[in-house]
Amino acid sequence: MSKEKKLIQENISFGIKLLSNNNLIINEVWITLKSLSLLTGKYEWEVDLSEYGEIRTVLAAVQDNLWVLVNDYKNNRHSLLCLDVTSGRIMQVLGEGLRLSDAHVKYIEEKQTLLSFKSSISAVPSPSTLIEIDATTGQVLRNITVESMLAPNLKVGLWQYHNNKLFFTANTTMMTTTHIGVLDYDTLQLLWYTEVPDRKGLLKDLQVADDKIYVLDQVGTLHIFEKESSIE
């Protein structure tokens, strides 16, 4: 009981990000990761990641791999770090030569892969880049331009994976998100896209359910779409 009370009363600023094998992986002040054992109440390891920038997201623990997205905005560098989950030792650093997203990287549990999907902010045609990484080996499986999005000039914003499809918001000629669309996950074929009618400002959230797509605009209006549609 005394150990539990002491831990609760510690005056530190941290966010609990991930539970892995009876350990809490804790992000402290955006540059330090700690692993807190729930069995002993003690920290098992601590690692300073400040040389890579600030911690954006603790993504997943897959087997012995702990994946963390770190951003160095000063040098426009975004890195995926693979740490040993039992020791905190950095095993792999991915990012050099990859156009990784600074925010929209996710762990796809069904595939056991990490996915980065991003576009440059631009009013002119700009490619959307998809990078897929095996979360167990760290191998880059795909690092490609999504060709099907070039002709309609769709530049991806937010996105969600659901049932082997990628649902996304996008802009075309404007600098703010105006459209939603769907890609086949395996082939990256554009299945359909449509402009969101009567939207106000940018599209700030996207959620996907079994039969509906929910899109929230800047003033809080919720737009609901059927998952099956046709290209406009």
Side-chain angles (χ1 to χ4, degrees):
M1 287 297 291
S2 59
K3 286 185 178 180
E4 292 178 359
K5 186 175 181 181
K6 183 177 178 181
L7 285 171
I8 293 170
Q9 291 181 344
E10 284 188 12
N11 185 24
I12 58 175
S13 173
F14 66 80
I16 295 171
K17 294 295 184 180
L18 192 68
L19 178 64
S20 174
N21 295 330
N22 292 314
N23 281 56
L24 291 177
I25 306 300
I26 296 170
N27 167 13
E28 182 175 292
V29 296
W30 307 110
I31 59 172
T32 303
L33 279 186
K34 296 182 176 183
S35 180
L36 175 65
S37 172
L38 297 180
L39 300 179
T40 66
K42 297 180 179 180
Y43 291 111
E44 295 189 343
W45 55 258
E46 176 180 336
V47 60
D48 185 340
L49 302 178
S50 59
E51 69 174 287
Y52 302 99
E54 294 187 352
I55 299 167
R56 172 73 191 220
T57 313
V58 181
L59 289 160
V62 184
Q63 296 183 10
D64 293 329
N65 298 333
L66 175 65
W67 289 97
V68 184
L69 176 64
V70 181
N71 296 328
D72 179 357
Y73 287 107
K74 182 179 180 180
N75 297 301
N76 194 29
R77 179 181 63 165
H78 314 299
S79 305
L80 272 173
L81 308 183
C82 179
L83 284 67
D84 184 291
V85 75
T86 60
S87 69
R89 184 165 63 94
I90 297 176
M91 308 289 290
Q92 189 175 10
V93 180
L94 293 172
E96 188 71 30
L98 296 176
R99 292 185 64 246
L100 285 170
S101 172
D102 64 339
H104 303 306
V105 179
K106 299 176 184 178
Y107 173 56
I108 310 300
E109 184 174 8
E110 179 181 323
K111 307 286 186 179
Q112 286 203 309
T113 60
L114 301 160
L115 204 66
S116 168
F117 192 18
K118 70 166 288 185
S119 296
S120 300
I121 298 174
S122 174
V124 298
S126 174
S128 293
T129 303
L130 183 138
I131 299 169
E132 185 175 17
I133 297 165
D134 188 316
T136 61
T137 66
Q139 179 185 1
V140 178
L141 303 175
R142 291 192 282 185
N143 179 15
I144 57 177
T145 296
V146 183
E147 299 286 343
S148 63
M149 295 176 68
L150 289 176
N153 191 23
L154 294 168
K155 298 181 283 289
V156 68
L158 305 171
W159 63 271
Q160 293 284 341
Y161 171 87
H162 190 79
N163 289 346
N164 221 49
K165 295 181 177 63
L166 292 173
F167 297 81
F168 60 87
T169 67
N171 68 67
T172 53
T173 58
M174 300 175 63
M175 298 295 286
T176 186
T177 44
T178 56
H179 288 63
I180 62 169
V182 186
L183 292 167
D184 181 276
Y185 181 86
D186 295 319
T187 66
L188 299 184
Q189 176 189 355
L190 183 61
L191 302 178
W192 62 263
Y193 69 92
T194 186
E195 186 171 0
V196 177
D198 302 320
R199 72 187 180 281
K200 301 294 182 182
L202 57 81
L203 304 176
K204 59 185 296 185
D205 196 10
L206 171 75
Q207 298 295 329
V208 182
D210 288 338
D211 57 349
K212 296 286 193 302
I213 305 169
Y214 301 91
V215 184
L216 190 68
D217 70 21
Q218 194 166 0
V219 301
T221 301
L222 184 64
H223 306 262
I224 303 174
F225 296 84
E226 298 290 336
K227 283 178 63 176
E228 303 297 330
S229 185
S230 59
I231 291 180
E232 292 189 355

